[in-house]
């Protein structure tokens, strides 16, 4: 009788424990938690007083910690949620200042400085390098106006030089074609200003010429500064005269050898339109020649609009009646001796 095969021994059941080990059983975990906790505490202290924290950490050779926290301040988007509005605004201001500070400031461009001898070559003649002129030291390329400034042109005497004075004096000889503009009248300085504006607008600036207005380094001279002051005085006088002209408009004037001068007033005279006519009077101001002015003869004076008088500006100390002309006449005839 056959025997059954022997049975194999049982291996039993294999149990696998999938539960995490209880906290604190892994030393590495403990160190990680400790470091994170300390870092959190230090960051909270840093947020409370960044400046003091940085000083202390640096003194303890832990400057890298404050550097890391500053990096978080600058680049972590989560940190912005912890900032107050004032802190955010202050940070943005600081960043803007640093950006401006770090920007390269371009060095001022030195103007092209020509000597008088170099400028003289630019007279537009055959073989010359171009056609230039200077106005108050500033050199302009006037090639497009060669029919005026080139050889044979009506203003060729201005080419290759700075003859600023002649632009307003009208003296086109050697003595008049000079750069010095001292001692001119206020109207002349205003004329120079208009010429300078004309060339700046219509022609190309190519540099400056060494001389009365600029030195060899291209810096302005004392004469240039003086001219600016004289122009300012001229503008102030012009504005003052404009007010005077509105208050005392010039009369209409006519002269014949037989009858002498005739002065009369209308609602527009001396280029001034108004809603009154006025009467002719001599207008006097210190150190100036008297002239005929139409003076308002109704209403309060211009200098005291609230006054209750009805004589206009007739009481002004600067006006005087013409001899032989009635107080209310709108026309006066004056026979000069």
């Amino acid at each position: 009788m056959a025997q059954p095969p022997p049975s194999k021994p049982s291996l039993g059941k294999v149990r696998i424990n999938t539960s995490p080990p209880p906290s604190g059983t892994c030393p590495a975990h403990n160190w990680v938690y400790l470091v994170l906790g300390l870092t959190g505490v230090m960051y909270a202290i840093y947020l409370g007083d960044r400046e003091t924290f940085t000083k202390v950490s640096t003194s303890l050779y832990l400057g890298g910690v404050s550097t890391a926290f500053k990096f978080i301040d600058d680049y972590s988007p989560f940190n912005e949620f912890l900032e107050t509005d004032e802190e955010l605004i202050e940070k943005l201001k600081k960043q803007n200042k640093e950006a401006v500070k770090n920007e390269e400031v371009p060095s001022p461009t030195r103007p092209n400085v020509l000597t008088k001898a170099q400028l003289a070559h630019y007279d537009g003649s055959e073989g010359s390098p171009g056609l230039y002129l200077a106005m108050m030291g500033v050199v302009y390329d006037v090639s497009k106006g060669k029919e005026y400034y080139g050889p044979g042109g009506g203003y060729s005497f201005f080419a290759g030089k700075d003859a600023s004075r002649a632009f307003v004096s009208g003296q086109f000889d050697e003595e008049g074609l000079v750069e010095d503009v001292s001692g001119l009248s206020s109207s002349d300085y205003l004329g120079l200003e208009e010429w300078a504006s004309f060339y700046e607008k219509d022609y190309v600036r190519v540099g400056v010429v060494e001389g009365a207005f600029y030195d060899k380094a291209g810096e302005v001279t004392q004469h240039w500064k003086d001219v600016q002051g004289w122009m300012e005085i001229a503008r102030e006088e012009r504005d003052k005269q404009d007010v005077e002209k509105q208050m005392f408009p010039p009369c209409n004037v006519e002269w014949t050898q037989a009858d002498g001068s005739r002065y009369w007033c209308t609602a527009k005279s001396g280029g001034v339109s108004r809603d009154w006519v006025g009467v002719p009077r001599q207008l006097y101001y210190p150190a100036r020649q008297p002239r005929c002015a139409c003076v308002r003869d109704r209403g309060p004076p211009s200098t005291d609009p609230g006054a209750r008088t009805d004589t206009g500006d007739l009481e002004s100390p600067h006006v005087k009646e013409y001899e032989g002309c009635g107080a209310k006449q709108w026309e006066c005839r004056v026979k000069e001796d």
Side-chain angles (χ1 to χ4, degrees):
M1 184 173 179
Q3 295 292 327
S7 61
K8 294 180 180 181
S10 174
L11 296 177
K13 294 182 179 179
V14 178
R15 293 183 179 182
I16 300 175
N17 188 356
T18 58
S19 300
S23 178
T25 60
C26 178
H29 288 182
N30 293 340
W31 279 107
V32 170
Y33 297 147
L34 179 61
V35 170
L36 289 176
L38 288 173
T39 302
V41 171
M42 286 193 294
Y43 187 60
I45 297 172
Y46 171 79
L47 292 177
D49 190 345
R50 291 174 174 82
E51 186 175 351
T52 302
F53 182 89
T54 301
K55 289 180 180 179
V56 174
S57 62
T58 302
S59 66
L60 297 175
Y61 303 101
L62 296 173
V65 176
S66 59
T67 302
F69 290 165
K70 186 177 185 305
F71 180 85
I72 296 173
D73 269 356
D74 292 338
Y75 299 104
S76 173
F78 301 104
N79 185 59
E80 295 183 1
F81 293 105
L82 302 175
E83 292 179 329
T84 63
D85 292 342
E86 292 77 9
E87 288 175 330
L88 180 59
I89 292 172
E90 188 63 29
K91 186 177 80 171
L92 293 174
K93 286 182 179 179
K94 185 177 179 181
Q95 290 174 349
N96 184 56
K97 287 181 181 179
E98 290 178 352
V100 171
K101 183 178 179 180
N102 292 331
E103 285 182 358
E104 284 192 13
V105 179
S107 57
T109 304
R110 184 176 181 271
N112 180 33
V113 182
L114 284 74
T115 64
K116 292 180 181 179
Q118 289 172 328
L119 179 60
H121 291 300
Y122 291 82
D123 61 357
S125 61
E126 186 176 352
S128 72
L131 183 57
Y132 292 175
L133 65 74
M135 163 54 62
M136 290 194 292
V138 180
V139 181
Y140 296 94
D141 184 341
V142 293
S143 299
K144 71 176 184 179
K146 60 183 178 181
E147 65 270 28
Y148 306 110
Y149 302 106
Y155 299 105
S156 59
F157 40 75
F158 286 129
K161 63 173 67 71
D162 187 338
S164 298
R165 192 179 190 89
F167 278 89
V168 293
S169 71
Q171 185 178 351
F172 303 129
D173 57 16
E174 188 175 346
E175 287 187 15
L177 293 167
V178 294
E179 57 186 342
D180 179 74
V181 294
S182 58
L184 296 174
S185 67
S186 292
S187 60
D188 287 336
Y189 288 119
L190 294 176
L192 280 174
E193 189 173 47
E194 290 177 0
W195 275 112
S197 177
F198 164 75
Y199 283 107
E200 194 69 25
K201 179 181 177 182
D202 284 24
Y203 293 95
V204 178
R205 181 194 289 221
V206 294
V208 297
V209 60
E210 179 187 351
F213 298 95
Y214 294 90
D215 62 21
K216 62 182 179 181
E219 300 293 334
V220 297
T221 63
Q222 184 59 47
H223 187 60
W224 183 92
K225 295 176 184 178
D226 290 340
V227 172
Q228 305 311 306
W230 297 331
M231 285 183 173
E232 181 61 28
I233 293 173
R235 286 190 290 268
E236 290 174 358
E237 290 184 0
R238 176 193 59 194
D239 294 342
K240 182 179 178 181
Q241 289 176 4
D242 285 346
V243 173
E244 174 196 306
K245 192 175 179 181
Q246 293 295 324
M247 185 175 175
F248 297 116
C251 305
N252 299 301
V253 182
E254 180 182 77
W255 181 88
T256 63
Q257 188 172 3
D259 300 326
S261 298
R262 173 192 174 218
Y263 302 110
W264 76 100
C265 295
T266 54
K268 181 179 181 180
S269 63
V272 179
S273 298
R274 52 197 185 272
D275 58 2
W276 50 273
V277 175
V279 293
R281 290 289 188 273
Q282 295 182 76
L283 180 67
Y284 290 89
Y285 277 103
R288 285 167 50 183
Q289 290 292 323
R291 68 170 176 86
C292 180
C294 292
V295 180
R296 190 165 51 84
D297 58 346
R298 291 284 185 274
S302 299
T303 54
D304 187 10
R308 296 187 178 184
T309 57
D310 191 35
T311 56
D313 293 313
L314 292 176
E315 302 301 321
S316 170
H318 298 292
V319 301
K320 179 182 177 182
E321 293 180 10
Y322 281 101
E323 186 177 349
C325 189
K328 294 294 184 179
Q329 285 184 247
W330 62 274
E331 178 185 53
C332 294
R333 293 183 180 271
V334 179
K335 183 82 173 185
E336 288 85 0
D337 295 333

